[in-house]
Amino acid sequence: MRVLVLSDIHANLTALEAVLADAGDTDEIWCLGDLVGYGPDPNEVVERMRAMPHLTCMLGNHDVAAMGGMEMEVFNTEARRSLQWQKKTITEDTLNYLKSLPDQTIIKQGVSLVHGSPRDPVWEYILNTLVARLNFAAFETDFCFVGHTHNQCMFKLDTKRDRVSLEIPKPGVVLEMTSRAIFNPGSVGQPRDRDPRAAYAIYDVEKQTWEPRRVEYDILAVQKRIRDAGLPDKHAARLAEGW
Ligand code: ZN
């Protein structure tokens, strides 16, 4: 069974379409949250995703923000401007779908799925080996798939030496999943690891392999839609930087 693992689409329909085309046929899709926020296509992304068969989708912090679950004051000016735009753009239908998404860890095929971390499924960022170490104690399966940081990476736990290591795998190289590990497929719609290509991964359940992948998409088209929508220019500029 091949599983398409993706995260942090962030209302970028062009990047999502490129990923779906590049991934080809898969048996299941596991999405680790943040369907909306930053990008110009929140309704289109939600519509496209929810129509996919065999989809499991987690709730992300930007999905929570779009639902109005947070006070406006905690956001900076740009974030507030995006939220105001989202408020008038996101349909009732989209909102209802976001509200239906799970905010707690889900276990699929023996893998823990969360947006942020097992300790704090919606909010915590696993950016370093210390935070990863603390989280290995918070899930029982061998593997955990997370999103949220927009970095395509993996944290491995070497139980014999009691060491946690951070690895940045090479896109297109198939990895054997041996030790306990936390895998991040990277972000579809707003990568932040200095590679502007859309990121995702293929998980093969029987073979127990993980293949991180990158795919080019029409960044200029998305930047134009962001600017035309009157969203903050930073959201457009950063797509070209992969940051
Ligand atoms: Zn995100």
Side-chain angles (χ1 to χ4, degrees):
M1 185 170 111
R2 284 173 87 247
V3 182
L4 166 56
V5 186
L6 46 73
S7 192
D8 298 275
I9 301 166
H10 282 298
N12 183 338
L13 184 67
T14 311
L16 173 61
E17 292 293 359
V19 163
L20 294 176
D22 192 66
D25 277 343
T26 52
D27 302 291
E28 291 208 8
I29 300 183
W30 299 349
C31 175
L32 306 174
D34 274 3
L35 292 168
V36 303
Y38 298 118
D41 322 306
N43 297 313
E44 293 81 355
V45 162
V46 167
E47 203 179 314
R48 184 76 167 97
M49 286 303 287
R50 70 189 294 188
M52 308 288 298
H54 313 296
L55 171 72
T56 300
C57 189
M58 309 303 296
L59 179 76
N61 57 309
H62 280 264
D63 306 319
V64 173
M67 281 153 42
M70 293 178 66
E71 294 306 314
M72 281 280 201
E73 295 85 70
V74 306
F75 292 96
N76 62 32
T77 322
E78 278 176 340
R80 212 176 312 137
R81 185 136 62 92
S82 308
L83 272 183
Q84 277 157 359
W85 178 84
Q86 281 195 136
K87 239 186 172 157
K88 64 177 200 285
T89 308
I90 288 183
T91 64
E92 200 61 36
D93 205 32
T94 298
L95 268 185
N96 286 336
Y97 181 71
L98 296 178
K99 284 178 186 163
S100 76
L101 300 176
D103 65 355
Q104 294 298 318
T105 308
I106 279 192
I107 296 177
K108 296 277 292 179
Q109 306 284 340
V111 178
S112 300
L113 307 181
V114 292
H115 178 62
S117 80
R119 291 197 309 178
D120 188 352
V122 176
W123 295 98
E124 187 179 40
Y125 292 89
I126 304 184
L127 282 162
N128 57 56
T129 51
L130 171 61
V131 177
R133 171 182 290 277
L134 296 169
N135 272 288
F136 273 112
F139 67 98
E140 280 166 11
T141 53
D142 282 342
F143 309 117
C144 179
F145 296 171
V146 305
H148 197 34
T149 66
H150 299 207
N151 292 325
Q152 191 172 63
C153 67
M154 54 197 268
F155 294 91
K156 274 188 181 171
L157 174 66
D158 179 340
T159 38
K160 265 194 209 131
R161 290 166 56 233
D162 190 33
R163 295 250 333 151
V164 177
S165 60
L166 165 61
E167 288 177 31
I168 314 291
K170 232 178 135 193
V173 175
V174 180
L175 305 165
E176 310 265 347
M177 297 161 76
T178 46
S179 55
R180 280 193 87 204
I182 297 168
F183 291 89
N184 191 322
S187 166
V188 171
Q190 193 200 79
R192 289 181 201 156
D193 46 15
R194 305 282 178 200
D195 181 343
R197 296 176 297 172
Y200 71 100
I202 299 288
Y203 168 48
D204 191 310
V205 179
E206 284 77 29
K207 291 184 187 153
Q208 291 287 282
T209 57
W210 173 264
E211 183 189 350
R213 290 187 177 184
R214 302 305 277 240
V215 59
E216 309 244 8
Y217 71 95
D218 189 350
I219 291 175
L220 288 175
V222 182
Q223 289 177 320
K224 185 175 185 315
R225 290 203 301 281
I226 288 173
R227 290 174 175 133
D228 288 350
L231 284 162
D233 190 63
K234 183 183 171 192
H235 297 181
R238 68 188 304 172
L239 293 181
E241 301 295 321
W243 185 258

